[in-house]
Amino acid sequence: MLENVPLTWEEVARVYGRKIYNFAYRLTGNADDASDLTQEVLLRVRKGLAGYQPGSIEGWLWRITRNAFLDDVRRRQRRPTTPLPDEVDRLAGHASPAPEHVLSKVRLGEDIQAALLDLPYDFREAVVLCDVVGLSYEEISAAVAAPIGTVRSRIHRGRKMLKEQLQ
């Protein structure tokens, strides 16, 4: 079954950019990190679009997002960073929109987001891909390179852990 695939990078960015950001935000829990991750994903898409084989473009995009996130986690473990103080933004005259404005359309309750971030990565990824992004079990299986039974188990256990944390 062939999907109607956007042929250009601009079409991919326009059609899927917000979804990629939403997934990135659920993985990182931080708007700035999600923006950086989205940008990295779109750069990887630009490089890899010529070799894309028609199929589930969303599964391909989620896999790229996942891999970029894991690469960043590994990079940060090798080279820990210390954030700059908040005053740096004000001193540089950098005016950025309020986080509430940026996240108004993608925000889950803070308690839910915090609970998501407390989940082990494999469970968080599966729950976010299913319940936030809306992928099918088959698409998630392809995106994370895991058997469908593993995906189902991760979603079930992840939801159970979320429920326990939120009670």
mmCIF file with all atom_site columns, all heavy atoms in Angstrom, residues 9-10 12-14 16-18 20-21 35-48 61 64-65 68:
data_model
loop_
_atom_site.group_PDB
_atom_site.id
_atom_site.type_symbol
_atom_site.label_atom_id
_atom_site.label_alt_id
_atom_site.label_comp_id
_atom_site.label_asym_id
_atom_site.label_entity_id
_atom_site.label_seq_id
_atom_site.pdbx_PDB_ins_code
_atom_site.Cartn_x
_atom_site.Cartn_y
_atom_site.Cartn_z
_atom_site.occupancy
_atom_site.B_iso_or_equiv
_atom_site.pdbx_formal_charge
_atom_site.auth_seq_id
_atom_site.auth_comp_id
_atom_site.auth_asym_id
_atom_site.auth_atom_id
_atom_site.pdbx_PDB_model_num
ATOM 1   N N   . TRP A 1 9  ? 11.320 18.337 0.457  1.00 0.00 ? 9  TRP A N   1
ATOM 2   C CA  . TRP A 1 9  ? 11.615 18.575 1.864  1.00 0.00 ? 9  TRP A CA  1
ATOM 3   C C   . TRP A 1 9  ? 10.666 19.625 2.432  1.00 0.00 ? 9  TRP A C   1
ATOM 4   O O   . TRP A 1 9  ? 10.200 19.497 3.561  1.00 0.00 ? 9  TRP A O   1
ATOM 5   C CB  . TRP A 1 9  ? 13.069 19.033 2.005  1.00 0.00 ? 9  TRP A CB  1
ATOM 6   C CG  . TRP A 1 9  ? 13.414 19.368 3.406  1.00 0.00 ? 9  TRP A CG  1
ATOM 7   C CD1 . TRP A 1 9  ? 13.782 18.490 4.379  1.00 0.00 ? 9  TRP A CD1 1
ATOM 8   C CD2 . TRP A 1 9  ? 13.379 20.652 4.023  1.00 0.00 ? 9  TRP A CD2 1
ATOM 9   N NE1 . TRP A 1 9  ? 13.996 19.161 5.561  1.00 0.00 ? 9  TRP A NE1 1
ATOM 10  C CE2 . TRP A 1 9  ? 13.750 20.497 5.360  1.00 0.00 ? 9  TRP A CE2 1
ATOM 11  C CE3 . TRP A 1 9  ? 13.074 21.929 3.565  1.00 0.00 ? 9  TRP A CE3 1
ATOM 12  C CZ2 . TRP A 1 9  ? 13.834 21.558 6.245  1.00 0.00 ? 9  TRP A CZ2 1
ATOM 13  C CZ3 . TRP A 1 9  ? 13.150 22.983 4.445  1.00 0.00 ? 9  TRP A CZ3 1
ATOM 14  C CH2 . TRP A 1 9  ? 13.527 22.791 5.773  1.00 0.00 ? 9  TRP A CH2 1
ATOM 15  N N   . GLU A 1 10 ? 10.372 20.651 1.657  1.00 0.00 ? 10 GLU A N   1
ATOM 16  C CA  . GLU A 1 10 ? 9.476  21.707 2.128  1.00 0.00 ? 10 GLU A CA  1
ATOM 17  C C   . GLU A 1 10 ? 8.093  21.161 2.463  1.00 0.00 ? 10 GLU A C   1
ATOM 18  O O   . GLU A 1 10 ? 7.486  21.557 3.459  1.00 0.00 ? 10 GLU A O   1
ATOM 19  C CB  . GLU A 1 10 ? 9.363  22.832 1.084  1.00 0.00 ? 10 GLU A CB  1
ATOM 20  C CG  . GLU A 1 10 ? 10.621 23.656 0.921  1.00 0.00 ? 10 GLU A CG  1
ATOM 21  C CD  . GLU A 1 10 ? 11.666 23.001 -0.006 1.00 0.00 ? 10 GLU A CD  1
ATOM 22  O OE1 . GLU A 1 10 ? 11.371 21.954 -0.636 1.00 0.00 ? 10 GLU A OE1 1
ATOM 23  O OE2 . GLU A 1 10 ? 12.779 23.537 -0.073 1.00 0.00 ? 10 GLU A OE2 1
ATOM 24  N N   . VAL A 1 12 ? 7.422  18.041 3.373  1.00 0.00 ? 12 VAL A N   1
ATOM 25  C CA  . VAL A 1 12 ? 7.565  17.236 4.587  1.00 0.00 ? 12 VAL A CA  1
ATOM 26  C C   . VAL A 1 12 ? 7.577  18.155 5.805  1.00 0.00 ? 12 VAL A C   1
ATOM 27  O O   . VAL A 1 12 ? 6.878  17.912 6.787  1.00 0.00 ? 12 VAL A O   1
ATOM 28  C CB  . VAL A 1 12 ? 8.843  16.366 4.543  1.00 0.00 ? 12 VAL A CB  1
ATOM 29  C CG1 . VAL A 1 12 ? 9.089  15.689 5.889  1.00 0.00 ? 12 VAL A CG1 1
ATOM 30  C CG2 . VAL A 1 12 ? 8.748  15.319 3.442  1.00 0.00 ? 12 VAL A CG2 1
ATOM 31  N N   . ALA A 1 13 ? 8.364  19.231 5.726  1.00 0.00 ? 13 ALA A N   1
ATOM 32  C CA  . ALA A 1 13 ? 8.457  20.165 6.851  1.00 0.00 ? 13 ALA A CA  1
ATOM 33  C C   . ALA A 1 13 ? 7.103  20.803 7.142  1.00 0.00 ? 13 ALA A C   1
ATOM 34  O O   . ALA A 1 13 ? 6.703  20.930 8.295  1.00 0.00 ? 13 ALA A O   1
ATOM 35  C CB  . ALA A 1 13 ? 9.507  21.242 6.558  1.00 0.00 ? 13 ALA A CB  1
ATOM 36  N N   . ARG A 1 14 ? 6.378  21.181 6.106  1.00 0.00 ? 14 ARG A N   1
ATOM 37  C CA  . ARG A 1 14 ? 5.081  21.836 6.296  1.00 0.00 ? 14 ARG A CA  1
ATOM 38  C C   . ARG A 1 14 ? 4.032  20.871 6.843  1.00 0.00 ? 14 ARG A C   1
ATOM 39  O O   . ARG A 1 14 ? 3.309  21.192 7.780  1.00 0.00 ? 14 ARG A O   1
ATOM 40  C CB  . ARG A 1 14 ? 4.600  22.438 4.966  1.00 0.00 ? 14 ARG A CB  1
ATOM 41  C CG  . ARG A 1 14 ? 3.290  23.185 5.061  1.00 0.00 ? 14 ARG A CG  1
ATOM 42  C CD  . ARG A 1 14 ? 2.863  23.834 3.747  1.00 0.00 ? 14 ARG A CD  1
ATOM 43  N NE  . ARG A 1 14 ? 3.127  23.067 2.539  1.00 0.00 ? 14 ARG A NE  1
ATOM 44  C CZ  . ARG A 1 14 ? 2.373  22.052 2.111  1.00 0.00 ? 14 ARG A CZ  1
ATOM 45  N NH1 . ARG A 1 14 ? 1.316  21.679 2.780  1.00 0.00 ? 14 ARG A NH1 1
ATOM 46  N NH2 . ARG A 1 14 ? 2.683  21.401 1.006  1.00 0.00 ? 14 ARG A NH2 1
ATOM 47  N N   . TYR A 1 16 ? 4.487  17.728 8.269  1.00 0.00 ? 16 TYR A N   1
ATOM 48  C CA  . TYR A 1 16 ? 4.824  16.929 9.445  1.00 0.00 ? 16 TYR A CA  1
ATOM 49  C C   . TYR A 1 16 ? 5.607  17.670 10.517 1.00 0.00 ? 16 TYR A C   1
ATOM 50  O O   . TYR A 1 16 ? 5.855  17.114 11.585 1.00 0.00 ? 16 TYR A O   1
ATOM 51  C CB  . TYR A 1 16 ? 5.619  15.678 9.031  1.00 0.00 ? 16 TYR A CB  1
ATOM 52  C CG  . TYR A 1 16 ? 4.805  14.738 8.187  1.00 0.00 ? 16 TYR A CG  1
ATOM 53  C CD1 . TYR A 1 16 ? 4.947  14.714 6.805  1.00 0.00 ? 16 TYR A CD1 1
ATOM 54  C CD2 . TYR A 1 16 ? 3.877  13.890 8.769  1.00 0.00 ? 16 TYR A CD2 1
ATOM 55  C CE1 . TYR A 1 16 ? 4.199  13.854 6.024  1.00 0.00 ? 16 TYR A CE1 1
ATOM 56  C CE2 . TYR A 1 16 ? 3.126  13.031 8.007  1.00 0.00 ? 16 TYR A CE2 1
ATOM 57  C CZ  . TYR A 1 16 ? 3.282  13.013 6.625  1.00 0.00 ? 16 TYR A CZ  1
ATOM 58  O OH  . TYR A 1 16 ? 2.533  12.172 5.862  1.00 0.00 ? 16 TYR A OH  1
ATOM 59  N N   . GLY A 1 17 ? 5.992  18.911 10.273 1.00 0.00 ? 17 GLY A N   1
ATOM 60  C CA  . GLY A 1 17 ? 6.824  19.650 11.218 1.00 0.00 ? 17 GLY A CA  1
ATOM 61  C C   . GLY A 1 17 ? 6.229  19.728 12.611 1.00 0.00 ? 17 GLY A C   1
ATOM 62  O O   . GLY A 1 17 ? 6.916  19.503 13.614 1.00 0.00 ? 17 GLY A O   1
ATOM 63  N N   . ARG A 1 18 ? 4.950  20.054 12.717 1.00 0.00 ? 18 ARG A N   1
ATOM 64  C CA  . ARG A 1 18 ? 4.301  20.177 14.024 1.00 0.00 ? 18 ARG A CA  1
ATOM 65  C C   . ARG A 1 18 ? 4.232  18.824 14.736 1.00 0.00 ? 18 ARG A C   1
ATOM 66  O O   . ARG A 1 18 ? 4.443  18.729 15.944 1.00 0.00 ? 18 ARG A O   1
ATOM 67  C CB  . ARG A 1 18 ? 2.904  20.784 13.837 1.00 0.00 ? 18 ARG A CB  1
ATOM 68  C CG  . ARG A 1 18 ? 2.110  20.967 15.122 1.00 0.00 ? 18 ARG A CG  1
ATOM 69  C CD  . ARG A 1 18 ? 2.919  21.606 16.187 1.00 0.00 ? 18 ARG A CD  1
ATOM 70  N NE  . ARG A 1 18 ? 2.514  22.962 16.457 1.00 0.00 ? 18 ARG A NE  1
ATOM 71  C CZ  . ARG A 1 18 ? 3.153  23.730 17.321 1.00 0.00 ? 18 ARG A CZ  1
ATOM 72  N NH1 . ARG A 1 18 ? 4.187  23.274 17.971 1.00 0.00 ? 18 ARG A NH1 1
ATOM 73  N NH2 . ARG A 1 18 ? 2.775  24.944 17.544 1.00 0.00 ? 18 ARG A NH2 1
ATOM 74  N N   . ILE A 1 20 ? 6.312  16.311 14.331 1.00 0.00 ? 20 ILE A N   1
ATOM 75  C CA  . ILE A 1 20 ? 7.671  15.992 14.770 1.00 0.00 ? 20 ILE A CA  1
ATOM 76  C C   . ILE A 1 20 ? 7.987  16.751 16.053 1.00 0.00 ? 20 ILE A C   1
ATOM 77  O O   . ILE A 1 20 ? 8.526  16.193 17.003 1.00 0.00 ? 20 ILE A O   1
ATOM 78  C CB  . ILE A 1 20 ? 8.699  16.323 13.662 1.00 0.00 ? 20 ILE A CB  1
ATOM 79  C CG1 . ILE A 1 20 ? 8.495  15.403 12.456 1.00 0.00 ? 20 ILE A CG1 1
ATOM 80  C CG2 . ILE A 1 20 ? 10.125 16.213 14.192 1.00 0.00 ? 20 ILE A CG2 1
ATOM 81  C CD1 . ILE A 1 20 ? 9.257  15.830 11.212 1.00 0.00 ? 20 ILE A CD1 1
ATOM 82  N N   . TYR A 1 21 ? 7.612  18.033 16.094 1.00 0.00 ? 21 TYR A N   1
ATOM 83  C CA  . TYR A 1 21 ? 7.860  18.837 17.296 1.00 0.00 ? 21 TYR A CA  1
ATOM 84  C C   . TYR A 1 21 ? 7.113  18.246 18.506 1.00 0.00 ? 21 TYR A C   1
ATOM 85  O O   . TYR A 1 21 ? 7.676  18.145 19.594 1.00 0.00 ? 21 TYR A O   1
ATOM 86  C CB  . TYR A 1 21 ? 7.446  20.295 17.086 1.00 0.00 ? 21 TYR A CB  1
ATOM 87  C CG  . TYR A 1 21 ? 7.587  21.102 18.347 1.00 0.00 ? 21 TYR A CG  1
ATOM 88  C CD1 . TYR A 1 21 ? 8.811  21.650 18.697 1.00 0.00 ? 21 TYR A CD1 1
ATOM 89  C CD2 . TYR A 1 21 ? 6.513  21.271 19.219 1.00 0.00 ? 21 TYR A CD2 1
ATOM 90  C CE1 . TYR A 1 21 ? 8.965  22.360 19.876 1.00 0.00 ? 21 TYR A CE1 1
ATOM 91  C CE2 . TYR A 1 21 ? 6.657  21.977 20.399 1.00 0.00 ? 21 TYR A CE2 1
ATOM 92  C CZ  . TYR A 1 21 ? 7.881  22.517 20.724 1.00 0.00 ? 21 TYR A CZ  1
ATOM 93  O OH  . TYR A 1 21 ? 8.018  23.202 21.903 1.00 0.00 ? 21 TYR A OH  1
ATOM 94  N N   . SER A 1 35 ? 12.706 21.934 20.012 1.00 0.00 ? 35 SER A N   1
ATOM 95  C CA  . SER A 1 35 ? 12.956 22.721 18.794 1.00 0.00 ? 35 SER A CA  1
ATOM 96  C C   . SER A 1 35 ? 14.275 22.302 18.152 1.00 0.00 ? 35 SER A C   1
ATOM 97  O O   . SER A 1 35 ? 14.355 22.142 16.928 1.00 0.00 ? 35 SER A O   1
ATOM 98  C CB  . SER A 1 35 ? 12.994 24.211 19.120 1.00 0.00 ? 35 SER A CB  1
ATOM 99  O OG  . SER A 1 35 ? 11.726 24.650 19.518 1.00 0.00 ? 35 SER A OG  1
ATOM 100 N N   . ASP A 1 36 ? 15.307 22.123 18.974 1.00 0.00 ? 36 ASP A N   1
ATOM 101 C CA  . ASP A 1 36 ? 16.600 21.684 18.445 1.00 0.00 ? 36 ASP A CA  1
ATOM 102 C C   . ASP A 1 36 ? 16.488 20.303 17.813 1.00 0.00 ? 36 ASP A C   1
ATOM 103 O O   . ASP A 1 36 ? 17.042 20.061 16.732 1.00 0.00 ? 36 ASP A O   1
ATOM 104 C CB  . ASP A 1 36 ? 17.653 21.647 19.557 1.00 0.00 ? 36 ASP A CB  1
ATOM 105 C CG  . ASP A 1 36 ? 18.043 23.023 20.058 1.00 0.00 ? 36 ASP A CG  1
ATOM 106 O OD1 . ASP A 1 36 ? 17.720 24.031 19.368 1.00 0.00 ? 36 ASP A OD1 1
ATOM 107 O OD2 . ASP A 1 36 ? 18.661 23.099 21.142 1.00 0.00 ? 36 ASP A OD2 1
ATOM 108 N N   . LEU A 1 37 ? 15.776 19.408 18.479 1.00 0.00 ? 37 LEU A N   1
ATOM 109 C CA  . LEU A 1 37 ? 15.609 18.056 17.959 1.00 0.00 ? 37 LEU A CA  1
ATOM 110 C C   . LEU A 1 37 ? 14.828 18.080 16.649 1.00 0.00 ? 37 LEU A C   1
ATOM 111 O O   . LEU A 1 37 ? 15.185 17.384 15.692 1.00 0.00 ? 37 LEU A O   1
ATOM 112 C CB  . LEU A 1 37 ? 14.914 17.165 18.995 1.00 0.00 ? 37 LEU A CB  1
ATOM 113 C CG  . LEU A 1 37 ? 14.691 15.706 18.607 1.00 0.00 ? 37 LEU A CG  1
ATOM 114 C CD1 . LEU A 1 37 ? 16.002 15.016 18.262 1.00 0.00 ? 37 LEU A CD1 1
ATOM 115 C CD2 . LEU A 1 37 ? 13.994 14.971 19.748 1.00 0.00 ? 37 LEU A CD2 1
ATOM 116 N N   . THR A 1 38 ? 13.779 18.890 16.576 1.00 0.00 ? 38 THR A N   1
ATOM 117 C CA  . THR A 1 38 ? 12.983 19.005 15.352 1.00 0.00 ? 38 THR A CA  1
ATOM 118 C C   . THR A 1 38 ? 13.859 19.495 14.202 1.00 0.00 ? 38 THR A C   1
ATOM 119 O O   . THR A 1 38 ? 13.791 18.975 13.082 1.00 0.00 ? 38 THR A O   1
ATOM 120 C CB  . THR A 1 38 ? 11.792 19.955 15.564 1.00 0.00 ? 38 THR A CB  1
ATOM 121 O OG1 . THR A 1 38 ? 10.979 19.428 16.619 1.00 0.00 ? 38 THR A OG1 1
ATOM 122 C CG2 . THR A 1 38 ? 10.967 20.094 14.303 1.00 0.00 ? 38 THR A CG2 1
ATOM 123 N N   . GLN A 1 39 ? 14.682 20.478 14.477 1.00 0.00 ? 39 GLN A N   1
ATOM 124 C CA  . GLN A 1 39 ? 15.577 21.009 13.451 1.00 0.00 ? 39 GLN A CA  1
ATOM 125 C C   . GLN A 1 39 ? 16.551 19.930 12.972 1.00 0.00 ? 39 GLN A C   1
ATOM 126 O O   . GLN A 1 39 ? 16.784 19.773 11.777 1.00 0.00 ? 39 GLN A O   1
ATOM 127 C CB  . GLN A 1 39 ? 16.329 22.205 14.002 1.00 0.00 ? 39 GLN A CB  1
ATOM 128 C CG  . GLN A 1 39 ? 17.102 22.976 12.970 1.00 0.00 ? 39 GLN A CG  1
ATOM 129 C CD  . GLN A 1 39 ? 17.665 24.265 13.534 1.00 0.00 ? 39 GLN A CD  1
ATOM 130 O OE1 . GLN A 1 39 ? 17.848 24.406 14.740 1.00 0.00 ? 39 GLN A OE1 1
ATOM 131 N NE2 . GLN A 1 39 ? 17.934 25.204 12.666 1.00 0.00 ? 39 GLN A NE2 1
ATOM 132 N N   . GLU A 1 40 ? 17.097 19.166 13.907 1.00 0.00 ? 40 GLU A N   1
ATOM 133 C CA  . GLU A 1 40 ? 18.017 18.089 13.546 1.00 0.00 ? 40 GLU A CA  1
ATOM 134 C C   . GLU A 1 40 ? 17.306 17.033 12.702 1.00 0.00 ? 40 GLU A C   1
ATOM 135 O O   . GLU A 1 40 ? 17.857 16.530 11.720 1.00 0.00 ? 40 GLU A O   1
ATOM 136 C CB  . GLU A 1 40 ? 18.603 17.443 14.813 1.00 0.00 ? 40 GLU A CB  1
ATOM 137 C CG  . GLU A 1 40 ? 19.476 16.239 14.555 1.00 0.00 ? 40 GLU A CG  1
ATOM 138 C CD  . GLU A 1 40 ? 20.728 16.519 13.738 1.00 0.00 ? 40 GLU A CD  1
ATOM 139 O OE1 . GLU A 1 40 ? 21.216 17.676 13.746 1.00 0.00 ? 40 GLU A OE1 1
ATOM 140 O OE2 . GLU A 1 40 ? 21.225 15.583 13.070 1.00 0.00 ? 40 GLU A OE2 1
ATOM 141 N N   . VAL A 1 41 ? 16.072 16.696 13.075 1.00 0.00 ? 41 VAL A N   1
ATOM 142 C CA  . VAL A 1 41 ? 15.301 15.713 12.305 1.00 0.00 ? 41 VAL A CA  1
ATOM 143 C C   . VAL A 1 41 ? 15.078 16.215 10.882 1.00 0.00 ? 41 VAL A C   1
ATOM 144 O O   . VAL A 1 41 ? 15.271 15.471 9.911  1.00 0.00 ? 41 VAL A O   1
ATOM 145 C CB  . VAL A 1 41 ? 13.958 15.408 13.006 1.00 0.00 ? 41 VAL A CB  1
ATOM 146 C CG1 . VAL A 1 41 ? 13.038 14.609 12.094 1.00 0.00 ? 41 VAL A CG1 1
ATOM 147 C CG2 . VAL A 1 41 ? 14.200 14.658 14.306 1.00 0.00 ? 41 VAL A CG2 1
ATOM 148 N N   . LEU A 1 42 ? 14.685 17.474 10.740 1.00 0.00 ? 42 LEU A N   1
ATOM 149 C CA  . LEU A 1 42 ? 14.426 18.008 9.403  1.00 0.00 ? 42 LEU A CA  1
ATOM 150 C C   . LEU A 1 42 ? 15.703 18.061 8.568  1.00 0.00 ? 42 LEU A C   1
ATOM 151 O O   . LEU A 1 42 ? 15.656 17.856 7.345  1.00 0.00 ? 42 LEU A O   1
ATOM 152 C CB  . LEU A 1 42 ? 13.759 19.375 9.503  1.00 0.00 ? 42 LEU A CB  1
ATOM 153 C CG  . LEU A 1 42 ? 12.310 19.323 10.012 1.00 0.00 ? 42 LEU A CG  1
ATOM 154 C CD1 . LEU A 1 42 ? 11.755 20.719 10.225 1.00 0.00 ? 42 LEU A CD1 1
ATOM 155 C CD2 . LEU A 1 42 ? 11.409 18.523 9.084  1.00 0.00 ? 42 LEU A CD2 1
ATOM 156 N N   . LEU A 1 43 ? 16.845 18.296 9.199  1.00 0.00 ? 43 LEU A N   1
ATOM 157 C CA  . LEU A 1 43 ? 18.110 18.234 8.462  1.00 0.00 ? 43 LEU A CA  1
ATOM 158 C C   . LEU A 1 43 ? 18.386 16.802 7.983  1.00 0.00 ? 43 LEU A C   1
ATOM 159 O O   . LEU A 1 43 ? 18.813 16.582 6.850  1.00 0.00 ? 43 LEU A O   1
ATOM 160 C CB  . LEU A 1 43 ? 19.261 18.715 9.342  1.00 0.00 ? 43 LEU A CB  1
ATOM 161 C CG  . LEU A 1 43 ? 19.333 20.214 9.591  1.00 0.00 ? 43 LEU A CG  1
ATOM 162 C CD1 . LEU A 1 43 ? 20.394 20.530 10.644 1.00 0.00 ? 43 LEU A CD1 1
ATOM 163 C CD2 . LEU A 1 43 ? 19.630 20.964 8.304  1.00 0.00 ? 43 LEU A CD2 1
ATOM 164 N N   . ARG A 1 44 ? 18.134 15.834 8.853  1.00 0.00 ? 44 ARG A N   1
ATOM 165 C CA  . ARG A 1 44 ? 18.342 14.431 8.470  1.00 0.00 ? 44 ARG A CA  1
ATOM 166 C C   . ARG A 1 44 ? 17.369 14.016 7.369  1.00 0.00 ? 44 ARG A C   1
ATOM 167 O O   . ARG A 1 44 ? 17.731 13.251 6.476  1.00 0.00 ? 44 ARG A O   1
ATOM 168 C CB  . ARG A 1 44 ? 18.200 13.518 9.685  1.00 0.00 ? 44 ARG A CB  1
ATOM 169 C CG  . ARG A 1 44 ? 19.332 13.666 10.677 1.00 0.00 ? 44 ARG A CG  1
ATOM 170 C CD  . ARG A 1 44 ? 19.202 12.711 11.841 1.00 0.00 ? 44 ARG A CD  1
ATOM 171 N NE  . ARG A 1 44 ? 20.236 12.944 12.833 1.00 0.00 ? 44 ARG A NE  1
ATOM 172 C CZ  . ARG A 1 44 ? 20.547 12.076 13.784 1.00 0.00 ? 44 ARG A CZ  1
ATOM 173 N NH1 . ARG A 1 44 ? 19.897 10.920 13.887 1.00 0.00 ? 44 ARG A NH1 1
ATOM 174 N NH2 . ARG A 1 44 ? 21.497 12.372 14.656 1.00 0.00 ? 44 ARG A NH2 1
ATOM 175 N N   . VAL A 1 45 ? 16.139 14.526 7.445  1.00 0.00 ? 45 VAL A N   1
ATOM 176 C CA  . VAL A 1 45 ? 15.155 14.226 6.401  1.00 0.00 ? 45 VAL A CA  1
ATOM 177 C C   . VAL A 1 45 ? 15.645 14.794 5.066  1.00 0.00 ? 45 VAL A C   1
ATOM 178 O O   . VAL A 1 45 ? 15.562 14.135 4.029  1.00 0.00 ? 45 VAL A O   1
ATOM 179 C CB  . VAL A 1 45 ? 13.761 14.797 6.769  1.00 0.00 ? 45 VAL A CB  1
ATOM 180 C CG1 . VAL A 1 45 ? 12.836 14.794 5.571  1.00 0.00 ? 45 VAL A CG1 1
ATOM 181 C CG2 . VAL A 1 45 ? 13.158 13.999 7.916  1.00 0.00 ? 45 VAL A CG2 1
ATOM 182 N N   . ARG A 1 46 ? 16.149 16.018 5.092  1.00 0.00 ? 46 ARG A N   1
ATOM 183 C CA  . ARG A 1 46 ? 16.641 16.652 3.856  1.00 0.00 ? 46 ARG A CA  1
ATOM 184 C C   . ARG A 1 46 ? 17.746 15.803 3.219  1.00 0.00 ? 46 ARG A C   1
ATOM 185 O O   . ARG A 1 46 ? 17.773 15.620 2.009  1.00 0.00 ? 46 ARG A O   1
ATOM 186 C CB  . ARG A 1 46 ? 17.153 18.049 4.162  1.00 0.00 ? 46 ARG A CB  1
ATOM 187 C CG  . ARG A 1 46 ? 17.554 18.791 2.915  1.00 0.00 ? 46 ARG A CG  1
ATOM 188 C CD  . ARG A 1 46 ? 17.909 20.228 3.222  1.00 0.00 ? 46 ARG A CD  1
ATOM 189 N NE  . ARG A 1 46 ? 17.701 20.986 2.016  1.00 0.00 ? 46 ARG A NE  1
ATOM 190 C CZ  . ARG A 1 46 ? 17.032 22.109 1.940  1.00 0.00 ? 46 ARG A CZ  1
ATOM 191 N NH1 . ARG A 1 46 ? 16.508 22.634 3.006  1.00 0.00 ? 46 ARG A NH1 1
ATOM 192 N NH2 . ARG A 1 46 ? 16.884 22.732 0.793  1.00 0.00 ? 46 ARG A NH2 1
ATOM 193 N N   . LYS A 1 47 ? 18.643 15.266 4.053  1.00 0.00 ? 47 LYS A N   1
ATOM 194 C CA  . LYS A 1 47 ? 19.731 14.438 3.534  1.00 0.00 ? 47 LYS A CA  1
ATOM 195 C C   . LYS A 1 47 ? 19.227 13.089 3.025  1.00 0.00 ? 47 LYS A C   1
ATOM 196 O O   . LYS A 1 47 ? 19.779 12.538 2.071  1.00 0.00 ? 47 LYS A O   1
ATOM 197 C CB  . LYS A 1 47 ? 20.783 14.204 4.616  1.00 0.00 ? 47 LYS A CB  1
ATOM 198 C CG  . LYS A 1 47 ? 21.587 15.429 4.966  1.00 0.00 ? 47 LYS A CG  1
ATOM 199 C CD  . LYS A 1 47 ? 22.566 15.128 6.089  1.00 0.00 ? 47 LYS A CD  1
ATOM 200 C CE  . LYS A 1 47 ? 23.286 16.377 6.546  1.00 0.00 ? 47 LYS A CE  1
ATOM 201 N NZ  . LYS A 1 47 ? 24.150 16.113 7.708  1.00 0.00 ? 47 LYS A NZ  1
ATOM 202 N N   . GLY A 1 48 ? 18.213 12.532 3.689  1.00 0.00 ? 48 GLY A N   1
ATOM 203 C CA  . GLY A 1 48 ? 17.775 11.173 3.370  1.00 0.00 ? 48 GLY A CA  1
ATOM 204 C C   . GLY A 1 48 ? 16.575 11.061 2.470  1.00 0.00 ? 48 GLY A C   1
ATOM 205 O O   . GLY A 1 48 ? 16.197 9.958  2.078  1.00 0.00 ? 48 GLY A O   1
ATOM 206 N N   . LEU A 1 61 ? 9.683  9.013  9.724  1.00 0.00 ? 61 LEU A N   1
ATOM 207 C CA  . LEU A 1 61 ? 9.965  10.254 10.453 1.00 0.00 ? 61 LEU A CA  1
ATOM 208 C C   . LEU A 1 61 ? 10.127 10.002 11.944 1.00 0.00 ? 61 LEU A C   1
ATOM 209 O O   . LEU A 1 61 ? 11.001 10.581 12.591 1.00 0.00 ? 61 LEU A O   1
ATOM 210 C CB  . LEU A 1 61 ? 8.863  11.285 10.211 1.00 0.00 ? 61 LEU A CB  1
ATOM 211 C CG  . LEU A 1 61 ? 8.776  11.836 8.788  1.00 0.00 ? 61 LEU A CG  1
ATOM 212 C CD1 . LEU A 1 61 ? 7.534  12.703 8.633  1.00 0.00 ? 61 LEU A CD1 1
ATOM 213 C CD2 . LEU A 1 61 ? 10.031 12.612 8.433  1.00 0.00 ? 61 LEU A CD2 1
ATOM 214 N N   . ILE A 1 64 ? 13.505 8.475  12.575 1.00 0.00 ? 64 ILE A N   1
ATOM 215 C CA  . ILE A 1 64 ? 14.564 9.490  12.503 1.00 0.00 ? 64 ILE A CA  1
ATOM 216 C C   . ILE A 1 64 ? 14.559 10.314 13.785 1.00 0.00 ? 64 ILE A C   1
ATOM 217 O O   . ILE A 1 64 ? 15.619 10.591 14.367 1.00 0.00 ? 64 ILE A O   1
ATOM 218 C CB  . ILE A 1 64 ? 14.371 10.395 11.270 1.00 0.00 ? 64 ILE A CB  1
ATOM 219 C CG1 . ILE A 1 64 ? 14.627 9.601  9.987  1.00 0.00 ? 64 ILE A CG1 1
ATOM 220 C CG2 . ILE A 1 64 ? 15.297 11.618 11.334 1.00 0.00 ? 64 ILE A CG2 1
ATOM 221 C CD1 . ILE A 1 64 ? 14.265 10.356 8.717  1.00 0.00 ? 64 ILE A CD1 1
ATOM 222 N N   . THR A 1 65 ? 13.366 10.702 14.257 1.00 0.00 ? 65 THR A N   1
ATOM 223 C CA  . THR A 1 65 ? 13.256 11.507 15.480 1.00 0.00 ? 65 THR A CA  1
ATOM 224 C C   . THR A 1 65 ? 13.810 10.728 16.663 1.00 0.00 ? 65 THR A C   1
ATOM 225 O O   . THR A 1 65 ? 14.581 11.259 17.471 1.00 0.00 ? 65 THR A O   1
ATOM 226 C CB  . THR A 1 65 ? 11.793 11.908 15.732 1.00 0.00 ? 65 THR A CB  1
ATOM 227 O OG1 . THR A 1 65 ? 11.286 12.576 14.565 1.00 0.00 ? 65 THR A OG1 1
ATOM 228 C CG2 . THR A 1 65 ? 11.671 12.820 16.941 1.00 0.00 ? 65 THR A CG2 1
ATOM 229 N N   . ALA A 1 68 ? 17.622 10.496 16.396 1.00 0.00 ? 68 ALA A N   1
ATOM 230 C CA  . ALA A 1 68 ? 18.256 11.786 16.689 1.00 0.00 ? 68 ALA A CA  1
ATOM 231 C C   . ALA A 1 68 ? 18.224 12.060 18.193 1.00 0.00 ? 68 ALA A C   1
ATOM 232 O O   . ALA A 1 68 ? 19.194 12.560 18.764 1.00 0.00 ? 68 ALA A O   1
ATOM 233 C CB  . ALA A 1 68 ? 17.565 12.908 15.914 1.00 0.00 ? 68 ALA A CB  1
#
